[in-house]
Amino acid sequence: MSPKTLYDKIWDAHVAHEDEDGTTLLYIDRHLVHEVTSPQAFEGLRMTNRTVRAPDKTIAVPDHNVPTTLDRVDGIDNEESRIQVEALDRNSRDFGIHYYPVSDVRQGIVHIVGPEQGWTLPGMTVVCGDSHTATHGAFGALAHGIGTSEVEHVLATQTLIQKKSKNMKVEITGKLRPGVTAKDITLSVIGETGTAGGTGYVIEYCGEAIRDLSMEGRMTVCNMAIEGGARAGLIAPDEITFEYCKGRPHAPKGAQWEAAMAWWKTLYSDDDAHWDKVITIKGEDIAPVVTWGTSPEDVLPITATVPDPSDFNGGKVGAVQRSLEYMGLTPGTPLSAIEIDTVFIGSCTNGRIEDLRAAAEILRGKKIKDGMRAMVVPGSGLVRAQAEEEGLADIFKEAGFEWRLAGCSMCLAMNPDQLSPGERCAATSNRNFEGRQGRGGRTHLLSPAMAAAAAVTGHLTDVRELM
Amino acid sequence: MDKFTTITGIAAPMPLINIDTDMIIPKQFLKTIKRSGLGVNLFDEMRYDDDGNERPDFVLNKPQYRESEILVAGDNFGCGSSREHAPWAIKDFGIRCVIAPSFADIFFNNCFKNGILPIALPQEAVDVLMKDAEKGANARMTVDLEAQTVTTSDGESFSFEIDPFKKHCLLEGLDDIGLTMEKVSAIDSYEARTAQQRPWV
Ligand code: SF4
């Protein structure tokens, strides 16, 4: 048998039909659904008298629109948001799919709930009408975002029309230095490849620095594969993966667990498999990084200065000019001199327990800068509960952070958590686009520990100085 | 779905790279549960000021570009969020074709589901088309899907590549779900087979 990559193996196991030109019906094992990208798909089913083919493989949770303040039990004020969440309630009930309503402690960001509940497992195909579906690739599952028409297609047929992508290997060798995290890895890779560098590819992340990461860290890395333009990110499953999955509510048990393990252990790229592109980065070369612009590729070590448009070529010159103007930054300014007024810790990139631990570690016994608005939005109700049990919530509250309920919150500001024009935010989320966190808002992406450090000092800060 | 064959129309120039889907349709318009009506909010934050007035210098607000049916843009068009609201807004405005050196994957796929033709051409070709688009309403570009060509108002022509299956669906206005439903027996047998092999799924 010819050698295969991990991507080849998962793909081959899910081909339900293949045309001569390679157009494939790929079978989908898990379909995750949220309230923003699904109403039109369910409406489409109703209009054509179609049903959900595999309701037991379809899981829905509202996350984008939901308020994260404690008073949300009283209902959602914003009428349009309420209608969207109510539509998901109704669609889940009508079509008989698994559902975690706002009132359920297991509710949270769809990409955190899926793995937490054991819906996401190695070797699966996972889709969701959301670009950060890439997150689930951390389990060695082929996972990617789809549009609403495709959501409808998967609901109706449990398949997706696909052509195979190219395959890129991103190897992070050796060990990370202290203060450097999974977020710094994934941002640094995008800094290296650019936001279009992964277009047309499925990326497999490998190497010692990746192997050393926890599942939480691996999810952070894969989460941002889409920011590099890739269709999906993958990490081969290993003992760390199996350990994480074991005992989760929807993970297999007993003999089925053994059978699953036997297959999962074959899920790795063969030694002499073919790669269309290979990128290697030394773990020790990665520094704690922040973004300075309005594209995730605008990333530099915290020790650097704001770049000059003339440092770039082609279309990027104009783009940098535009983003510096939007961000209100002057070339040559040290990044660590940039003052901020808001700190957001949360999102499907960094809203897991390990992220909260890392931030709390920096905040222990400290207070946030006077006048700073700082919030922690746990990725799920269960993350929140665990953080309370571990005493992390108290550390955040004593430092001056708001301690919120689970949801997407200020990652995309569809709920009331938004920046005002000109406000500058240190955010652990994944997108620094213009207006992403509120019209005119300015976003700097960084790791949870770096966000905590910035909350304390009031400006972007090298976390290593506080360690 | 609407068929796409040939269009001859005004092309709006947007020489920016990395135009993301947050720019195309900001999140405050994602709260709809319908597909239609998003055209007025296409490029909302670039198109209107804080009070909701049109910014006269934004391309689609200029009199000569209000009826644009084609958009010519920079690299990596449609990056970011998977929201299909982006192609819905583009279509609702009246644009049926976007030309750029490259597209983000999910956006690219979403276009085909909505009768929009995304055309990737080399930078040099896009530069020529951008110049042509900048001439305004008197310059009409022609996109011929059957022949796979884009022709400027001066008659300069560029051929583009397209996946044959996607081309067929667009030309005929075919609905993907209907097509897949014809292969339902293949899905049935796949499910039966894997229920044995991977029962935990
Ligand atoms: S946390 Fe942000 S990126 Fe993640 S699913 Fe929610 S809105 Fe999307």
Side-chain angles (χ1 to χ4, degrees):
Chain A
M1 246 184 4
S2 58
K4 289 178 173 184
T5 61
L6 171 58
Y7 173 48
D8 296 333
K9 291 180 184 178
I10 304 175
W11 175 275
D12 291 349
H14 290 86
V15 175
H17 183 273
E18 187 177 343
D19 281 335
E20 280 159 26
D21 71 346
T23 304
T24 299
L25 277 185
L26 199 68
Y27 193 82
I28 301 304
D29 293 330
R30 292 288 179 263
H31 186 190
L32 310 175
V33 174
H34 67 71
E35 79 278 19
V36 177
T37 54
S38 67
Q40 293 87 349
F42 285 109
E43 201 48 42
L45 290 185
R46 284 201 180 85
M47 274 158 49
T48 47
N49 280 322
R50 288 171 176 146
T51 55
V52 176
R53 181 179 172 99
D56 54 327
K57 294 173 178 165
T58 312
I59 299 100
V61 57
D63 53 5
H64 283 61
N65 268 303
V66 301
T68 56
T69 41
L70 286 170
D71 59 5
R72 79 176 182 197
V73 287
D74 306 331
I76 303 177
D77 283 343
N78 180 289
E79 191 183 342
E80 290 169 302
S81 295
R82 196 183 62 240
I83 290 173
Q84 242 179 15
V85 173
E86 284 170 358
L88 190 64
D89 290 348
R90 191 183 61 244
N91 289 329
S92 302
R93 205 173 43 237
D94 288 1
F95 290 95
I97 64 183
H98 298 280
Y99 187 49
Y100 301 99
V102 177
S103 55
D104 193 314
V105 67
R106 297 166 298 176
Q107 179 271 345
I109 304 168
V110 63
H111 308 307
I112 292 190
V113 174
E116 210 167 63
Q117 293 301 317
W119 290 114
T120 307
L121 296 168
M124 282 185 163
T125 44
V126 181
V127 296
C128 174
D130 191 283
S131 53
H132 292 98
T133 312
T135 313
H136 308 263
F139 291 80
L142 179 59
H144 54 82
I146 55 179
T148 299
S149 295
E150 289 176 315
V151 170
E152 187 178 337
H153 191 279
V154 177
L155 289 172
T157 69
Q158 204 57 28
T159 63
L160 204 55
I161 303 173
Q162 289 282 290
K163 274 213 171 151
K164 211 169 167 190
S165 304
K166 290 179 284 182
N167 217 182
M168 186 193 306
K169 172 159 114 172
V170 173
E171 187 176 16
I172 314 292
T173 60
K175 301 274 181 205
L176 298 178
R177 293 186 184 275
V180 178
T181 67
K183 185 64 165 287
D184 301 298
I185 295 181
T186 201
L187 281 170
S188 299
V189 171
I190 299 161
E192 184 95 6
T193 61
T195 49
T199 305
Y201 289 94
V202 164
I203 292 177
E204 182 176 335
Y205 300 94
C206 59
E208 186 184 351
I210 298 289
R211 295 256 76 86
D212 282 351
L213 293 174
S214 65
M215 279 320 291
E216 283 86 353
R218 294 177 188 188
M219 285 189 256
T220 302
V221 170
C222 287
N223 175 275
M224 290 194 73
I226 182 70
E227 256 59 63
R231 165 152 295 207
L234 281 171
I235 294 174
D238 60 10
E239 287 307 323
I240 292 175
T241 323
F242 307 144
E243 199 45 48
Y244 180 98
C245 294
K246 197 164 192 177
R248 303 253 159 204
H250 296 277
K253 317 240 157 17
Q256 287 208 1
W257 173 263
E258 296 307 323
M261 282 286 280
W263 187 54
W264 294 347
K265 285 184 173 167
T266 67
L267 297 176
Y268 52 82
S269 291
D270 297 330
D271 281 345
D272 32 9
H274 169 76
W275 300 96
D276 298 292
K277 194 168 169 181
V278 177
I279 288 177
T280 307
I281 296 176
K282 282 194 198 141
E284 64 193 37
D285 288 350
I286 300 176
V289 292
V290 294
T291 62
W292 48 267
T294 55
S295 165
E297 70 190 11
D298 299 339
V299 63
L300 281 172
I302 179 66
T303 47
T305 56
V306 175
D308 196 291
S310 64
D311 302 341
F312 297 85
N313 301 314
K316 191 71 189 167
V317 178
V320 170
Q321 255 157 7
R322 187 186 161 92
S323 66
L324 290 183
E325 199 172 305
Y326 180 87
M327 293 295 290
L329 294 175
T330 317
T333 311
L335 293 173
S336 59
I338 298 173
E339 293 190 7
I340 53 164
D341 15 59
T342 304
V343 171
F344 169 65
I345 298 178
S347 88
C348 59
T349 316
N350 284 125
R352 284 169 285 268
I353 190 69
E354 187 182 274
D355 303 314
L356 303 196
R357 285 184 196 134
E361 191 53 43
I362 300 295
L363 290 170
R364 194 184 296 275
K366 298 195 183 73
K367 290 260 183 270
I368 61 172
K369 181 94 194 262
D370 273 353
M372 176 79 60
R373 170 165 66 143
M375 63 169 90
V376 187
V377 184
S380 73
L382 292 178
V383 169
R384 182 179 148 96
Q386 187 174 351
E388 286 177 346
E389 206 178 293
E390 292 182 16
L392 307 179
D394 293 332
I395 297 176
F396 285 116
K397 286 190 262 188
E398 278 157 25
F401 270 77
E402 293 174 42
W403 179 244
R404 296 295 192 92
L405 297 177
C408 293
S409 179
M410 208 190 257
C411 173
L412 93 167
M414 268 186 86
N415 77 350
D417 309 334
Q418 305 190 2
L419 295 181
S420 309
E423 259 185 323
R424 193 181 292 282
C425 179
T428 66
S429 47
N430 45 52
R431 286 191 177 135
N432 50 356
F433 298 158
E434 287 181 21
R436 171 78 176 182
Q437 295 193 282
R439 192 176 178 124
R442 294 160 171 168
T443 303
H444 296 275
L445 303 175
L446 33 53
S447 73
M450 290 276 285
V456 171
T457 63
H459 53 85
L460 296 178
T461 299
D462 190 336
V463 64
R464 292 169 294 195
E465 292 165 11
L466 271 75
M467 284 168 60
Chain B
M1 195 178 69
D2 297 344
K3 293 183 183 182
F4 188 109
T5 49
T6 303
I7 51 173
T8 297
I10 299 164
M14 278 192 81
L16 271 181
I17 62 166
N18 293 333
I19 293 181
D20 58 71
T21 53
D22 278 73
M23 271 187 211
I24 299 172
I25 185 85
K27 65 210 153 235
Q28 59 270 36
F29 305 106
L30 307 188
K31 295 187 178 184
T32 174
I33 55 171
K34 299 205 214 66
R35 282 181 161 95
S36 57
L38 289 165
V40 287
N41 303 111
L42 175 66
F43 295 115
D44 192 86
E45 292 182 1
M46 299 160 93
R47 201 159 141 206
Y48 305 104
D49 66 20
D50 292 345
D51 301 323
N53 303 312
E54 286 189 2
R55 298 181 201 268
D57 52 342
F58 181 68
V59 60
L60 298 180
N61 290 334
K62 294 181 184 167
Q64 64 270 39
Y65 292 113
R66 286 179 174 266
E67 306 291 321
S68 297
E69 292 175 73
I70 300 165
L71 193 64
V72 186
D75 234 346
N76 200 28
F77 189 90
C79 58
S81 148
S82 63
R83 59 189 69 163
E84 199 161 318
H85 307 68
W88 293 338
I90 287 173
K91 175 95 176 285
D92 198 58
F93 179 88
I95 290 170
R96 294 290 309 276
C97 174
V98 185
I99 303 171
S102 68
F103 291 87
D105 195 45
I106 301 176
F107 175 84
F108 189 77
N109 278 320
N110 282 342
C111 282
F112 289 99
K113 316 286 180 198
N114 292 283
I116 299 171
L117 173 62
I119 299 178
L121 283 171
Q123 185 70 54
E124 306 79 65
V126 174
D127 289 345
V128 172
L129 296 170
M130 192 70 77
K131 281 246 146 47
D132 196 49
E134 281 162 3
K135 292 180 193 162
N138 295 325
R140 286 174 185 260
M141 219 176 263
T142 298
V143 177
D144 183 339
L145 176 56
E146 182 61 56
Q148 297 181 213
T149 55
V150 184
T151 310
T152 65
S153 58
D154 304 328
E156 191 172 352
S157 193
F158 301 94
S159 339
F160 60 87
E161 302 277 325
I162 181 170
D163 177 271
F165 175 70
K166 290 195 162 96
K167 176 179 176 179
H168 173 69
C169 291
L170 217 46
L171 282 171
E172 301 298 329
L174 294 177
D175 157 41
D176 277 354
I177 298 179
L179 285 174
T180 298
M181 289 290 197
E182 289 170 13
K183 296 178 185 141
V184 71
S185 62
I187 305 174
D188 289 341
S189 58
Y190 176 89
E191 278 181 344
R193 200 164 66 236
T194 50
Q196 306 285 320
Q197 294 164 347
R198 297 196 293 277
W200 64 88
V201 176

